[in-house]
Amino acid sequence: RRPFLGPTDCRQWPRPRPPPPLAFIEAARDAGYHGVGLRLQKSPNLPIFPVVGDAPLVRDIRTSLADSGLELLDILAFYLLPETDVHEYEPALALGAELGATYALTQGNDPDWCRLCGTFDKFCDVAKKAGLTPIIEFCPNRTLATLGNTLDLLEETGNTDIPILVDPLHLV
């Protein structure tokens, strides 16, 4: 079996909008993956299939995950922007925990380093309060662009226990 399939897996794009979560889970199961990542939070400039607040869809996702045997590895993507209020992420984080996710994926795109550090620290607190482990991803087209930047962020905020997601595409 293959490890995990996330909604931004390169085989999924370009696409005008992401596949509905149930079709995505079914495709991952049929392809032999062990688990999936679901986009529960709107990301800047990326389409989203709304899930939060849709009780029948949430019920169906829960059933589909259980029936497929797939693990919900992470929920995404929680962007840290200049205007971010991490408390707006609480509904998606709570739903991710309810569905059994382990990680909440975040990326930093705030040019003010001090504010980014503060927002990241608050995000870690909110994610942990929801029962999720925050995980951070650096991305060359964001202000948190490199592994070195990410290590500095973790050190300066005292969150050195937070995992880093390393996307090989961001290293080329």
Side-chain angles (χ1 to χ4, degrees):
R1 285 180 61 143
R2 298 177 179 169
F4 294 91
L5 179 65
T8 56
D9 188 290
C10 63
R11 292 165 290 212
Q12 299 292 320
W13 299 97
R15 222 183 253 274
R17 85 180 256 159
L22 297 173
F24 182 74
I25 292 167
E26 181 180 308
R29 179 203 63 215
D30 292 349
Y33 284 89
H34 292 278
V36 294
L38 293 178
R39 184 176 302 281
L40 298 183
Q41 181 63 43
K42 174 77 174 107
S43 301
N45 304 315
L46 292 174
I48 187 167
F49 193 96
V51 176
V52 175
D54 187 336
L57 179 57
V58 169
R59 181 191 64 241
D60 291 345
I61 289 171
R62 185 180 298 108
T63 300
S64 182
L65 286 168
D67 291 349
S68 69
L70 292 170
E71 175 186 352
L72 179 55
L73 181 65
D74 63 352
I75 57 169
L76 51 142
F78 300 90
Y79 281 74
L80 307 180
L81 306 170
E83 66 276 8
T84 297
D85 174 358
V86 297
H87 295 289
E88 292 177 4
Y89 295 157
E90 288 174 339
L93 293 166
L95 177 57
E98 178 186 326
L99 292 172
T102 302
Y103 300 102
L105 177 66
T106 188
Q107 293 183 352
N109 201 21
D110 185 342
D112 182 319
W113 182 255
C114 289
R115 184 175 52 215
L116 176 62
C117 288
T119 306
F120 176 69
D121 199 40
K122 290 175 192 170
F123 175 78
C124 290
D125 290 342
V126 170
K128 289 175 183 178
K129 183 178 177 187
L132 298 168
T133 300
I135 185 168
I136 189 147
E137 177 182 17
F138 61 90
C139 190
N141 63 338
R142 313 247 188 280
T143 55
L144 192 65
T146 67
L147 177 59
N149 296 144
T150 305
L151 291 169
D152 289 344
L153 178 74
L154 297 178
E155 184 69 32
E156 288 184 34
T157 61
N159 288 299
T160 56
D161 60 329
I162 301 299
I164 300 171
L165 182 138
V166 179
D167 184 334
L169 292 175
H170 297 164
L171 300 174
V172 293

